[in-house]
Amino acid sequence: FSGEHTAEQATAMAGNRETDFVFFSLEDAPFDIESFVTYRSAMSAVTAPDAPRPLALRIPAVKNGRDAAENHVRAALDADADAIVFPHMESGAEALWAVRSMGKDVWPANRDGKRVSMFIVEDQEGLAHVGDIVGTPGVGIVFAGPGDLKHAYDGDVDAVERAIQSVLTACREFDVPCGITAGVKDIAMRLHQGFRVIIVLQPEALAMGRDAAGRN
């Protein structure tokens, strides 16, 4: 996670060589794209050319309105986001719209594409259509969202874990990288289960995850 949306935090993040990418969220109001631009500029100023730090920008959910979503995507592209994260994905139709909204420079639809679409499945509606979402052509990465799934299933731990595994199973079926948030207590387990993209909850989880993945 990006931490505070400040130039100072961006500079500190750029110095962390264990990080593969930075997750920057503007899902909740206000949609302050200028804070993203400032953060990106500060990171770029101190990032070594041989160690890029891609920035993934989470925008508000598509289900909140297509017109607003179109504006958010356009702003993200204009701000040069390396990936756009679409939370609360609920259907294949939403997923297809999201991929198309990013244009032609999207991997893996374009193998030379420089941007990535990331979807988060974190509602019961999304779980009901997870195959349609993950199977959408051009999808880059699909995350299971444990936090919101806990709300969706009223804290039922077993139901949440079944939902998480359903997302992972669909990703395996369609050969799409599957992601999840994880901390020091579960990052090794999630990597062992087959999750390939991890957003860490604590900085110290980075080293643990890299060790579990054989990258240290």
Side-chain angles (χ1 to χ4, degrees), residues 1 144 146 179-191 195 197-203 205-206:
F1 285 100
I180 196 167
T181 54
V184 295
K185 293 182 179 180
D186 62 348
I187 191 167
M189 176 190 72
R190 292 306 188 190
L191 286 165
F195 289 93
V197 185
I198 309 292
I199 302 173
V200 298
L201 297 173
Q202 304 115 328
L206 279 171

Side-chain angles (χ1 to χ4, degrees), residues 93-113:
E94 282 187 357
L96 183 61
W97 180 90
V99 170
R100 289 177 174 174
S101 74
M102 291 181 64
K104 296 181 179 180
D105 193 26
V106 180
W107 178 91
N110 176 358
R111 286 293 174 179
D112 295 319

Side-chain angles (χ1 to χ4, degrees), residues 94-136:
E94 282 187 357
L96 183 61
W97 180 90
V99 170
R100 289 177 174 174
S101 74
M102 291 181 64
K104 296 181 179 180
D105 193 26
V106 180
W107 178 91
N110 176 358
R111 286 293 174 179
D112 295 319
K114 298 179 180 179
R115 290 192 170 97
V116 178
S117 63
M118 297 182 174
F119 298 161
I120 307 179
V121 177
E122 47 194 340
D123 306 288
Q124 291 192 39
E125 183 71 16
L127 262 296
H129 301 97
V130 66
D132 295 333
I133 294 168
V134 179
T136 300

